[in-house]
Amino acid sequence: MLRRPLPDVSQPARRLVGLLLEKDTVRQPYALLAVAGLADEATLRAAVERLSQDVGPIVADEIAVIAALGRAERARLSEIDRSDRFSSPPPSLTDAWRGAAETAAYVAFARRALGAAADRTDAIRAGEIPYRADKAFTDREVVSLGQAARVALLRDEPWLPELFDRLLPGVAIAPTPARTVPSQALLYELVRAAQDFPTPELVTAIRTVRGNVRHAGVPKQLDKMLKKVEAALAERTDVALRLPRLGFGDDGVLRRKAGDYEAVVTVAENATLSWEKDGRPLRSLPAPVRRDHAALVKELRELVKRVNAQLVTLARALEGGFTVDAVHPYGWWRAELAGHPQARTLVRRLIWEIEVAPGEWQAVLPEAGDLPDAPDDAAVRLWHPLRCGPDSVRAWRDLLSERRIRQPFKQAFREIYFLTPAEEETRVYSNRFAAHLVHYRRMFALLRARGWTSGRVGPWDDGDGDAAERTLAAGEWQVRFLHTWYDWADGDELASTDQVRFARRGDGAWREATLADVPPLVFSEAMRDIDLFVGVTSIAADPDWTDAGPGRTYWERAGFAELTESAASRRDALERIVPRLKIADRCSLDGRFLVVRGDLRTYRIHLGSANILMEPDGSYLCVVPDRDKRDKGDGRVFLPFEDDRLSLILSKAFLLAADTRITDGSILAQITRS
């Protein structure tokens, strides 16, 4: 078959480039260079000259590198070019980023550019360059450095951790006591790069900077962005579980001399710094150390922050790996996770499955016993209750409760969600969490905190509905949670929840999938998130809801409804907790309620909403919790997992069991009312 020659596009390309170069601002320079290369060398040189004017050495270097590439490489780079520095490239551009990461000349530029940026912030800190708030880098430099960072992160370059340890503080912390930053734009751009291609070292560096930055608004913004970074890191299983040892011994202890004293950094559930003299622990930082070893004290305090940031990152990455069903070699896991000086105490409190023979998995809790003999190449994965029967789940929950082992995230008590007959009927969508009224601003914040993306809804054109989205299983699956604007209530915004739908990636696009085709772990973990959104933000959990109308009808129905999976898990925990309480003889579980016998009344606390009904007439008791003073009895109640609603239920139980000692007039008036 004869191949026809390609048409000559040099003349229209030359004309287009000429028109673009006449503009005051040239947008998408990569694309411009790609078009200029289709014209002739003179046009390409003119484009390079124009794009290199007044942009600084970093951008000028980038332009020169791109101009020297072949046509195909320039065209490939033009796919990642963007002028909007406030949003990350869509996931569909991952292949284009891989192309950039395979272009040797651009990879070399990325290292030079990021190194030059770190050198500049070092010079600002040293006073060699005058400090001006938010002026360390130009807008165009921010875009170029963000793209350089993405290429280096995608390649997981070994020189990146040390460089980011210089660059991130350099752009985030002023060299003066001022509450400003050298470049807020580059700080956020680097975090957006981490959202696209995260590494554990960068996440730790961001967390460390977040704890030190003095600008009032930056920590809150970083907290929001970090949620997306951590969700993305959990999906990048090839790098997610990598931790540096930082000089700690195998026992998780690091010791440093400071004159006659010794600093001791110990990693247990978290990292702590203490001081000793002649082997005796001291209550506080010794005055001579504070005076003579201030630099060491600062270094060790920073180390504690960094280790704690690493532990948070590791826990999030492990939990997020459930949908990937991540598997590790036993030898590596034993040395780099279970035996790692910082990770070991976290890892040992989780249940793991080891493939001791082909297809035969043995579940172990390292904290409770020895590890089995298995070859180094045997597979290891996190245990999930979805994969085993109720008796096994019950046994693990009993063991954790008896040994008072608090897991770093909810695992043994984790809720599981199976496809229901109703969902088999609807095939492509679930109504399981539809028709709930929620406090919209709370739910929007929680969506972002859990790594979901969502636009705002509200009473404006095209603002009545949206679908919150999250990708799972290393980007292969997408879940969508539909919700609509509902109304205002006492100055608060309400939304109504709707369907849940799933899609699978195929041929570079999302294809809607039937619920039956969704992998069980992906389905369960996605529905668990949505159960959390509804359970935490529903107006049914608002103890002082007083609005009338449809909202009140929903509140009365949902506030005492049948238990969801999350509430059922709470009930299972209470079955183990209540017998150990000082008020055990006054408490019992009855279906979806914790029944508490006081001296004035008997109370029924709903295990989903924590709302209270009083016997014998079933009247409602409003108890608004003091979030700063949640009484948990004697302060020694062991909770096998962190759950605010569980803590609230227990605090109400202790309050009502001693109802004759209640001093709050509004509560007493309700209890004693005829």
Side-chain angles (χ1 to χ4, degrees), residues 560 601-604 612-622 670-671 673-674:
F560 301 98
R601 290 248 202 167
T602 296
Y603 311 89
R604 301 172 66 83
I612 306 166
L613 297 177
M614 296 185 289
E615 294 182 350
D617 55 354
S619 57
Y620 172 68
L621 173 62
C622 176
Q670 296 175 76
I671 292 174
R673 184 173 52 229
S674 297

Side-chain angles (χ1 to χ4, degrees), residues 223-224 226-228 230-231 316 438-454 456 468-470 481 483 497 527-538 541 566 570 643-645:
D223 285 342
K224 294 179 181 177
L226 269 168
K227 301 300 182 182
K228 291 184 179 180
E230 289 165 344
R316 297 278 172 83
V438 297
H439 291 285
Y440 175 61
R441 279 178 286 188
R442 295 183 203 170
M443 189 178 80
F444 185 77
L446 193 54
L447 285 166
R448 295 295 181 91
R450 296 288 295 178
W452 291 61
T453 59
S454 178
R456 287 276 298 175
E469 299 175 351
R470 183 182 174 191
F481 176 36
H483 53 280
T497 61
M527 299 301 269
R528 180 177 183 269
D529 258 11
I530 297 167
D531 191 356
L532 171 71
F533 301 149
V534 173
V536 170
T537 66
S538 169
S566 60
R570 199 173 294 131
D643 180 45
D644 286 344
R645 194 67 54 81

Side-chain angles (χ1 to χ4, degrees), residues 241 243 267-269 310-311 314-315 317-318 328 330 332-354 364-369 371 380-383 400 405-409 411:
L241 306 183
L243 281 87
V267 182
E269 290 192 16
Q310 285 180 341
L311 294 176
L314 175 63
L318 287 171
H328 317 285
Y330 186 45
W332 175 88
W333 174 87
R334 197 171 46 221
E336 299 301 324
L337 284 181
H340 192 283
Q342 291 120 61
R344 64 191 186 95
T345 56
L346 184 153
V347 170
R348 291 178 66 83
R349 287 179 285 128
L350 293 168
I351 307 165
W352 297 84
E353 287 184 312
I354 302 166
V364 296
L365 177 67
E367 186 75 7
L371 297 176
V380 183
R381 66 185 182 188
L382 265 177
W383 176 92
L400 289 169
I405 297 174
R406 184 182 175 92
Q407 295 193 289
F409 53 83
Q411 186 192 25

Side-chain angles (χ1 to χ4, degrees), residues 21-302:
L21 292 180
E22 291 175 0
K23 296 182 178 293
D24 293 336
T25 302
V26 178
R27 304 172 74 85
Q28 294 182 300
Y30 292 7
L32 178 61
L33 290 170
V35 175
L38 297 175
D40 50 45
E41 287 299 320
T43 303
L44 183 58
R45 283 196 302 272
V48 171
E49 183 178 349
R50 170 69 174 81
L51 293 173
S52 302
Q53 290 175 359
D54 303 321
V55 294
I58 292 175
V59 179
D61 183 12
E62 178 187 34
I63 297 302
V65 167
I66 296 170
L69 297 175
R71 285 186 177 182
E73 290 175 312
R74 279 199 299 267
R76 187 161 54 182
L77 279 174
S78 70
E79 296 180 38
I80 65 171
D81 196 12
R82 61 199 177 92
S83 56
D84 179 10
R85 63 182 175 88
F86 295 104
S87 64
S88 296
S92 58
L93 289 182
T94 299
D95 291 341
W97 283 111
R98 295 191 193 286
E102 293 168 0
T103 304
Y106 196 86
V107 172
F109 157 74
R111 183 168 188 175
R112 289 196 304 274
L114 293 168
D119 290 343
R120 188 184 301 179
T121 58
D122 287 348
I124 291 173
R125 190 181 299 112
E128 299 166 6
I129 297 176
Y131 172 64
R132 292 189 300 158
D134 270 330
K135 300 294 183 184
F137 298 91
T138 66
D139 287 354
R140 181 57 212 170
E141 286 177 323
V142 168
V143 172
S144 296
L145 290 167
Q147 296 182 162
R150 285 177 175 83
V151 166
L153 286 166
L154 176 56
R155 291 174 59 86
D156 194 24
E157 292 286 359
W159 45 266
L160 267 179
E162 183 179 353
L163 187 143
F164 277 133
D165 283 346
R166 291 170 54 205
L167 182 55
L168 275 171
V171 298
I173 302 170
T176 68
R179 295 180 177 272
T180 56
V181 296
S183 180
Q184 195 168 164
L186 183 54
L187 172 63
Y188 292 156
E189 179 66 2
L190 292 174
V191 181
R192 281 190 288 269
Q195 291 173 352
D196 294 329
F197 305 111
T199 65
E201 295 85 2
L202 179 51
V203 175
T204 296
I206 295 169
R207 282 196 167 277
T208 303
V209 161
R210 182 253 178 263
N212 294 328
V213 67
R214 293 189 294 271
H215 187 291
V218 168
K220 185 177 180 180
Q221 183 64 23
L222 288 180
D223 285 342
K224 294 179 181 177
M225 300 176 79
L226 269 168
K227 301 300 182 182
K228 291 184 179 180
V229 177
E230 289 165 344
L233 180 62
E235 303 290 319
R236 199 179 180 192
T237 54
D238 55 329
V239 301
L241 306 183
R242 185 176 61 214
L243 281 87
R245 292 187 174 252
L246 301 176
F248 282 82
D250 291 340
D251 58 353
V253 177
L254 180 145
R255 294 178 176 272
R256 295 281 295 275
K257 284 289 186 181
D260 295 333
Y261 300 88
E262 189 171 38
V264 183
V265 180
T266 305
V267 182
E269 290 192 16
N270 51 32
T272 56
L273 171 61
S274 60
W275 297 89
E276 294 181 358
K277 184 177 182 181
D278 300 329
R280 292 182 294 104
L282 305 176
R283 291 186 176 181
S284 60
L285 173 65
V289 175
R290 182 187 294 112
R291 182 186 64 243
D292 301 331
H293 302 275
L296 175 63
V297 173
K298 180 180 179 182
E299 176 191 341
L300 293 176
R301 285 174 173 170
E302 291 298 321

